[in-house]
Amino acid sequence: MATPIVAGVGVAVLAYSGRAAILAYEAWKTAPPRLRKFYEGGFEPDMNRREASLILGVRESAAKDKVVAAHRKVMIANHPDAGGSDYIAIKINEAKALMLGGRGGKSPF
């Protein structure tokens, strides 16, 4: 007598678990992509290598190709012609120059 009840409860638990798994998969599949966070801090008067790497989102010891690719990605998101800030664009270019071996120098702002 108890066997059909236990079997029924087992089937119900399995059905609810399957439904929850399907709903979780569909929610995961339709979720927007996670965007990468960029540097949100304020700028120092004299840019250093650490700040430049934070702005570009690369390591301080990153290779030239990684710095160039990161610069391109950040500039596309912040270019003045696309509604970005001139100040931010100057800082991004200063960070690239510093990371590629030049001296970042002072910003005109």
Side-chain angles (χ1 to χ4, degrees), residues 21-93:
I22 290 171
L23 290 176
Y25 173 73
E26 288 176 354
W28 172 77
K29 197 166 114 179
T30 59
R34 296 174 73 188
L35 299 176
R36 186 170 160 221
K37 291 195 63 150
F38 292 105
Y39 180 60
E40 295 179 357
F43 298 111
E44 297 175 17
D46 292 329
M47 186 175 294
N48 55 28
R49 199 161 175 84
R50 180 183 177 279
E51 183 181 21
S53 65
L54 287 171
I55 290 170
L56 295 176
V58 295
R59 293 179 186 241
E60 290 184 42
S61 61
K64 179 182 177 181
D65 59 332
K66 294 223 183 228
V67 171
V68 171
H71 174 263
R72 179 174 170 76
K73 181 186 266 187
V74 176
M75 273 305 282
I76 287 172
N78 294 292
H79 198 276
D81 291 344
S85 165
D86 289 331
Y87 178 72
I88 301 292
I90 288 171
K91 285 298 196 178
I92 293 168
N93 287 330

